[in-house]
Amino acid sequence: LPTFIAFKGPKILHKSPGSDEEGLKKVIAAAKEATGAPAAEQAAPTQPAAETPKTEEKKDESSAAAPAAAAGEKSEASSASPFVKHVVGSDGLKEACEAGKPVIVKFYATWCGSCKQVAPKYERYAEENKDAGVQFVEMDYDEDEPFIANVLKVDLLPTFIAFKGPKILHKSPGSDEEGLKKVIAAAKEATA
């Protein structure tokens, strides 16, 4: 499934998953608007960006979560728990993984319905395991899509991964609670 994205620096201006012409036109229009250049000077993108992950629910285009995330506010899919640390990009993940403890990462997106549904469970498990010697973190897919999609091969949201240093201990795509429990168990086992 191709995805077209208009960027200005690191900021995503518009993203259109799928191959429909209207979505591509919207991405081109967003790029044109950002540069202020006349339409004749702009060329259509020749290569799509990283593939958009599948979700267990369709993206809600009318959601107000994306503007909230852009303004730095927490969405329902992200955690407000003091037991879950939000990290950004490969550097943020590397720093968390190098802290010495096994790390459990929730990859989510503000527009992902399944991510919103699993967020309270993830927070609960983080609190229940606060003294287990593992660190719970979360990464917003849209904050570093190329790294998360291409390097970590996350193609379904939410996805949970347990790390010990740079090594992946266990990976569970989707909002299945049993999968999340296996990720937590793998991380806890790595503390022994």
Side-chain angles (χ1 to χ4, degrees):
L1 175 70
T3 298
F4 299 102
I5 303 174
F7 289 94
K8 183 166 185 177
K11 184 180 179 199
I12 295 175
L13 301 173
H14 189 81
K15 180 166 133 180
S16 178
S19 58
D20 71 297
E21 191 173 338
E22 286 305 309
L24 177 57
K25 287 178 182 178
K26 288 178 183 177
V27 170
I28 293 169
K32 288 177 187 176
E33 184 177 308
T35 62
E41 294 178 22
Q42 297 294 324
T46 57
Q47 255 202 31
E51 195 171 299
T52 298
K54 302 168 197 149
T55 62
E56 294 181 19
E57 291 188 15
K58 291 192 180 238
K59 180 176 175 181
D60 179 6
E61 295 293 340
S62 65
S63 172
E73 299 172 12
K74 291 283 187 184
S75 77
E76 293 174 30
S78 67
S79 177
S81 170
F83 305 104
V84 179
K85 179 181 179 183
H86 182 82
V87 296
V88 178
S90 59
D91 290 338
L93 180 59
K94 181 179 177 186
E95 183 180 311
C97 290
E98 289 177 348
K101 295 180 180 180
V103 177
I104 300 164
V105 185
K106 173 183 79 171
F107 296 94
Y108 73 96
T110 58
W111 44 261
C112 169
S114 297
C115 299
K116 292 175 186 177
Q117 289 177 339
V118 80
K121 293 175 188 169
Y122 189 71
E123 290 175 13
R124 186 183 78 233
Y125 284 123
E127 185 172 1
E128 289 173 0
N129 290 282
K130 66 183 177 214
D131 298 320
V134 298
Q135 182 179 12
F136 283 73
V137 302
E138 64 182 8
M139 287 185 75
D140 184 340
Y141 182 88
D142 292 324
E143 289 177 350
D144 197 350
E145 182 177 341
F147 170 70
I148 296 169
N150 298 327
V151 176
L152 298 176
K153 306 295 185 206
V154 171
D155 62 358
L156 180 70
L157 294 176
T159 288
F160 303 95
I161 302 178
F163 292 91
K164 173 79 180 207
K167 181 182 176 191
I168 293 177
L169 303 173
H170 193 80
K171 181 177 180 179
S172 178
S175 60
D176 173 47
E177 193 167 356
E178 290 306 310
L180 173 55
K181 287 179 182 178
K182 289 178 182 175
V183 169
I184 294 168
K188 288 169 74 172
E189 188 176 299
T191 64

PDB file of all heavy atoms in Angstrom, residues 15 32 39 71 79 82 92 98 117-118 127 149 168 182-183 190:
ATOM      1  N   LYS A  15      -0.487  13.535   5.066  1.00  0.00           N
ATOM      2  CA  LYS A  15      -0.171  12.138   4.793  1.00  0.00           C
ATOM      3  C   LYS A  15      -1.405  11.483   4.200  1.00  0.00           C
ATOM      4  O   LYS A  15      -2.506  11.662   4.713  1.00  0.00           O
ATOM      5  CB  LYS A  15       0.230  11.465   6.101  1.00  0.00           C
ATOM      6  CG  LYS A  15       0.584  10.030   5.971  1.00  0.00           C
ATOM      7  CD  LYS A  15       1.289   9.620   7.255  1.00  0.00           C
ATOM      8  CE  LYS A  15       0.802   8.357   7.814  1.00  0.00           C
ATOM      9  NZ  LYS A  15       1.486   7.971   9.029  1.00  0.00           N
ATOM     10  N   LYS A  32       2.829  22.422  -1.812  1.00  0.00           N
ATOM     11  CA  LYS A  32       2.821  23.704  -2.523  1.00  0.00           C
ATOM     12  C   LYS A  32       2.531  24.849  -1.562  1.00  0.00           C
ATOM     13  O   LYS A  32       3.178  25.897  -1.608  1.00  0.00           O
ATOM     14  CB  LYS A  32       1.773  23.690  -3.632  1.00  0.00           C
ATOM     15  CG  LYS A  32       2.135  22.834  -4.817  1.00  0.00           C
ATOM     16  CD  LYS A  32       0.992  22.852  -5.818  1.00  0.00           C
ATOM     17  CE  LYS A  32       1.230  21.883  -6.946  1.00  0.00           C
ATOM     18  NZ  LYS A  32       0.088  21.836  -7.859  1.00  0.00           N
ATOM     19  N   ALA A  39       1.900  26.761  -8.704  1.00  0.00           N
ATOM     20  CA  ALA A  39       1.659  25.362  -9.041  1.00  0.00           C
ATOM     21  C   ALA A  39       2.560  24.852 -10.152  1.00  0.00           C
ATOM     22  O   ALA A  39       2.973  23.707 -10.151  1.00  0.00           O
ATOM     23  CB  ALA A  39       0.194  25.161  -9.430  1.00  0.00           C
ATOM     24  N   ALA A  71       0.375  20.021  18.883  1.00  0.00           N
ATOM     25  CA  ALA A  71       0.500  21.099  19.853  1.00  0.00           C
ATOM     26  C   ALA A  71       1.205  20.638  21.120  1.00  0.00           C
ATOM     27  O   ALA A  71       1.355  21.392  22.065  1.00  0.00           O
ATOM     28  CB  ALA A  71      -0.888  21.636  20.203  1.00  0.00           C
ATOM     29  N   SER A  79       0.234   7.871  26.818  1.00  0.00           N
ATOM     30  CA  SER A  79       0.059   7.673  28.241  1.00  0.00           C
ATOM     31  C   SER A  79       0.307   8.945  29.035  1.00  0.00           C
ATOM     32  O   SER A  79       1.226   9.696  28.753  1.00  0.00           O
ATOM     33  CB  SER A  79       1.020   6.585  28.717  1.00  0.00           C
ATOM     34  OG  SER A  79       0.922   6.427  30.102  1.00  0.00           O
ATOM     35  N   PRO A  82       2.750   8.187  35.130  1.00  0.00           N
ATOM     36  CA  PRO A  82       4.129   8.455  35.529  1.00  0.00           C
ATOM     37  C   PRO A  82       5.015   7.212  35.385  1.00  0.00           C
ATOM     38  O   PRO A  82       6.232   7.305  35.513  1.00  0.00           O
ATOM     39  CB  PRO A  82       3.994   8.872  36.999  1.00  0.00           C
ATOM     40  CG  PRO A  82       2.719   8.254  37.463  1.00  0.00           C
ATOM     41  CD  PRO A  82       1.825   8.215  36.262  1.00  0.00           C
ATOM     42  N   GLY A  92      16.046   8.562  21.184  1.00  0.00           N
ATOM     43  CA  GLY A  92      15.293   8.382  22.424  1.00  0.00           C
ATOM     44  C   GLY A  92      15.171   6.921  22.809  1.00  0.00           C
ATOM     45  O   GLY A  92      15.328   6.552  23.979  1.00  0.00           O
ATOM     46  N   GLU A  98      19.758   1.748  26.558  1.00  0.00           N
ATOM     47  CA  GLU A  98      21.103   1.729  27.130  1.00  0.00           C
ATOM     48  C   GLU A  98      21.111   2.042  28.623  1.00  0.00           C
ATOM     49  O   GLU A  98      22.172   2.062  29.242  1.00  0.00           O
ATOM     50  CB  GLU A  98      22.007   2.720  26.382  1.00  0.00           C
ATOM     51  CG  GLU A  98      22.347   2.256  24.981  1.00  0.00           C
ATOM     52  CD  GLU A  98      23.182   3.253  24.205  1.00  0.00           C
ATOM     53  OE1 GLU A  98      23.328   4.413  24.652  1.00  0.00           O
ATOM     54  OE2 GLU A  98      23.685   2.865  23.139  1.00  0.00           O
ATOM     55  N   GLN A 117      -7.622   2.070  22.777  1.00  0.00           N
ATOM     56  CA  GLN A 117      -8.265   1.064  23.615  1.00  0.00           C
ATOM     57  C   GLN A 117      -7.267   0.346  24.522  1.00  0.00           C
ATOM     58  O   GLN A 117      -7.589   0.007  25.652  1.00  0.00           O
ATOM     59  CB  GLN A 117      -8.987   0.031  22.745  1.00  0.00           C
ATOM     60  CG  GLN A 117     -10.214   0.585  22.074  1.00  0.00           C
ATOM     61  CD  GLN A 117     -10.871  -0.428  21.154  1.00  0.00           C
ATOM     62  OE1 GLN A 117     -10.241  -1.393  20.711  1.00  0.00           O
ATOM     63  NE2 GLN A 117     -12.130  -0.207  20.837  1.00  0.00           N
ATOM     64  N   VAL A 118      -6.053   0.119  24.046  1.00  0.00           N
ATOM     65  CA  VAL A 118      -5.072  -0.632  24.825  1.00  0.00           C
ATOM     66  C   VAL A 118      -4.278   0.251  25.784  1.00  0.00           C
ATOM     67  O   VAL A 118      -3.657  -0.241  26.729  1.00  0.00           O
ATOM     68  CB  VAL A 118      -4.132  -1.434  23.885  1.00  0.00           C
ATOM     69  CG1 VAL A 118      -3.052  -0.552  23.306  1.00  0.00           C
ATOM     70  CG2 VAL A 118      -3.525  -2.623  24.599  1.00  0.00           C
ATOM     71  N   GLU A 127       2.251   0.203  35.886  1.00  0.00           N
ATOM     72  CA  GLU A 127       2.165   0.461  37.325  1.00  0.00           C
ATOM     73  C   GLU A 127       2.351  -0.824  38.132  1.00  0.00           C
ATOM     74  O   GLU A 127       3.073  -0.849  39.136  1.00  0.00           O
ATOM     75  CB  GLU A 127       0.827   1.113  37.668  1.00  0.00           C
ATOM     76  CG  GLU A 127       0.732   1.507  39.130  1.00  0.00           C
ATOM     77  CD  GLU A 127      -0.514   2.325  39.459  1.00  0.00           C
ATOM     78  OE1 GLU A 127      -1.335   2.585  38.568  1.00  0.00           O
ATOM     79  OE2 GLU A 127      -0.638   2.699  40.640  1.00  0.00           O
ATOM     80  N   ALA A 149       9.077   2.068  11.001  1.00  0.00           N
ATOM     81  CA  ALA A 149       8.587   1.178   9.942  1.00  0.00           C
ATOM     82  C   ALA A 149       9.712   0.403   9.273  1.00  0.00           C
ATOM     83  O   ALA A 149       9.610  -0.808   9.071  1.00  0.00           O
ATOM     84  CB  ALA A 149       7.821   1.977   8.894  1.00  0.00           C
ATOM     85  N   ILE A 168      16.217  -7.382  20.462  1.00  0.00           N
ATOM     86  CA  ILE A 168      14.773  -7.574  20.604  1.00  0.00           C
ATOM     87  C   ILE A 168      14.548  -8.930  21.261  1.00  0.00           C
ATOM     88  O   ILE A 168      15.001  -9.961  20.757  1.00  0.00           O
ATOM     89  CB  ILE A 168      14.056  -7.512  19.239  1.00  0.00           C
ATOM     90  CG1 ILE A 168      14.132  -6.094  18.663  1.00  0.00           C
ATOM     91  CG2 ILE A 168      12.600  -7.958  19.375  1.00  0.00           C
ATOM     92  CD1 ILE A 168      13.523  -5.937  17.280  1.00  0.00           C
ATOM     93  N   LYS A 182       3.133 -11.571  27.072  1.00  0.00           N
ATOM     94  CA  LYS A 182       4.344 -12.309  26.669  1.00  0.00           C
ATOM     95  C   LYS A 182       5.542 -11.364  26.531  1.00  0.00           C
ATOM     96  O   LYS A 182       6.656 -11.713  26.873  1.00  0.00           O
ATOM     97  CB  LYS A 182       4.093 -13.063  25.360  1.00  0.00           C
ATOM     98  CG  LYS A 182       3.172 -14.245  25.514  1.00  0.00           C
ATOM     99  CD  LYS A 182       2.917 -14.933  24.199  1.00  0.00           C
ATOM    100  CE  LYS A 182       1.933 -16.094  24.386  1.00  0.00           C
ATOM    101  NZ  LYS A 182       1.569 -16.723  23.117  1.00  0.00           N
ATOM    102  N   VAL A 183       5.291 -10.155  26.032  1.00  0.00           N
ATOM    103  CA  VAL A 183       6.351  -9.159  25.919  1.00  0.00           C
ATOM    104  C   VAL A 183       6.856  -8.785  27.308  1.00  0.00           C
ATOM    105  O   VAL A 183       8.070  -8.730  27.556  1.00  0.00           O
ATOM    106  CB  VAL A 183       5.858  -7.912  25.140  1.00  0.00           C
ATOM    107  CG1 VAL A 183       6.847  -6.770  25.236  1.00  0.00           C
ATOM    108  CG2 VAL A 183       5.613  -8.270  23.674  1.00  0.00           C
ATOM    109  N   ALA A 190      14.499 -11.262  31.436  1.00  0.00           N
ATOM    110  CA  ALA A 190      15.820 -10.742  31.104  1.00  0.00           C
ATOM    111  C   ALA A 190      16.473  -9.996  32.268  1.00  0.00           C
ATOM    112  O   ALA A 190      17.650  -9.678  32.214  1.00  0.00           O
ATOM    113  CB  ALA A 190      15.731  -9.810  29.885  1.00  0.00           C
TER     114      ALA A 190
END
